[in-house]
Amino acid sequence: MTLYGNRQKCYRCYRPKSSCMCDYLCTIETETKFVILMHPKEFKKVKNNTGHFTHQSLPNSELFIGIDFSDHARINEIITTYESYILFPSKNAINLTDTNPKTGDKPIAIFIIDSTWSCAKPIFNTSKNLQSLHHMSFTTTKESQYRIKQQPDATYLSTIESTLVVLEALNNHGVENIEQELLANFLEPFNQMIAYQQALINNPKSNAVRFKRHK
């Protein structure tokens, strides 16, 4: 823990100690490596960033903060070592829901950009090494439960929600063998965070509320 303003901050989930969600993290071991590329603006979102939850829940994951990763030694090493994909919707993207991404002997690495769509595009357009990766998408009927944050569309999922869909698809293809109970609990820190912030919003006497209340 360290001080954040006049409050202590947890350096695992990057939330104030008073609303730390680490007790709710559900750890899932995977064969697949997940690489989370976090935009600096996203890193500053103390209250509602789910990239940290995702990283801390997946031991076989790495998190990097920045915009241009073209010359990033570790990222380039991962791209070379793994059968690498980036979760990025495009007309050439393989649909993970229908297609097994494992085509050879190399382990799989999935890159996930953790930011808003407007910030994700500069990361992708600036990082030349990411442009060489195979694109991956998925099909789902799930809607985001991000009730404290206005999404462009209900089908836009947060980083941790998207990662769960990916884990479920990898399980279906036999790439992973994750217990259903673990998958069912994967979103628990996210759900608890939403409940915590919603309680603040609904409490008119709370001095901690920094969200606009709907009249």
Side-chain angles (χ1 to χ4, degrees), residues 125-209:
N125 292 333
T126 304
S127 303
K128 304 302 181 185
N129 48 355
L130 300 183
Q131 296 173 19
S132 65
L133 303 182
H134 299 295
H135 293 187
M136 175 182 285
S137 65
F138 54 72
T139 303
T140 182
T141 58
K142 294 183 179 182
E143 294 188 356
S144 179
Q145 299 304 303
Y146 224 150
R147 297 185 297 275
I148 63 172
K149 180 180 178 181
Q150 186 174 2
Q151 300 285 64
D153 187 274
T155 58
Y156 280 51
L157 303 181
S158 66
T159 296
I160 194 168
E161 290 174 305
S162 297
T163 302
L164 177 59
V165 175
V166 170
L167 290 172
E168 291 172 335
L170 292 174
N171 239 24
N172 291 337
H173 291 305
V175 176
E176 299 292 346
N177 184 24
I178 304 169
E179 295 179 8
Q180 290 301 316
E181 182 180 357
L182 293 177
L183 291 173
N185 292 327
F186 186 67
L187 295 183
E188 191 60 16
F190 170 74
N191 292 333
Q192 291 292 335
M193 177 195 72
I194 297 297
Y196 176 85
Q197 297 297 153
Q198 194 68 56
L200 293 182
I201 294 171
N202 293 335
N203 181 5
K205 296 181 180 180
S206 173
N207 293 324
V209 176

Side-chain angles (χ1 to χ4, degrees), residues 35-159:
V35 184
I36 301 166
L37 305 178
M38 184 180 291
H39 193 281
K41 288 184 178 180
E42 202 69 22
F43 177 75
K44 297 177 181 178
K45 295 179 181 178
V46 177
K47 292 185 182 299
N48 56 8
N49 181 286
T50 69
H52 293 299
F53 290 158
T54 306
H55 174 48
Q56 294 299 336
S57 299
L58 300 174
N60 192 13
S61 71
E62 298 185 45
L63 186 150
F64 305 99
I65 301 167
I67 297 176
D68 186 357
F69 297 100
S70 300
D71 299 318
H72 195 291
R74 176 55 183 156
I75 289 177
N76 286 328
E77 179 185 11
I78 293 172
I79 291 174
T80 302
T81 308
Y82 290 79
E83 185 174 357
S84 298
Y85 295 86
I86 185 167
L87 196 61
F88 197 84
S90 71
K91 63 179 181 180
N92 297 320
I94 71 158
N95 190 326
L96 182 61
T97 306
D98 305 320
T99 306
N100 189 334
K102 192 168 180 60
T103 60
D105 296 329
K106 283 185 175 183
I108 295 172
I110 299 177
F111 287 73
I112 300 176
I113 298 178
D114 181 46
S115 75
T116 61
W117 180 246
S118 61
C119 289
K121 289 190 288 185
I123 291 177
F124 182 78
N125 292 333
T126 304
S127 303
K128 304 302 181 185
N129 48 355
L130 300 183
Q131 296 173 19
S132 65
L133 303 182
H134 299 295
H135 293 187
M136 175 182 285
S137 65
F138 54 72
T139 303
T140 182
T141 58
K142 294 183 179 182
E143 294 188 356
S144 179
Q145 299 304 303
Y146 224 150
R147 297 185 297 275
I148 63 172
K149 180 180 178 181
Q150 186 174 2
Q151 300 285 64
D153 187 274
T155 58
Y156 280 51
L157 303 181
S158 66
T159 296

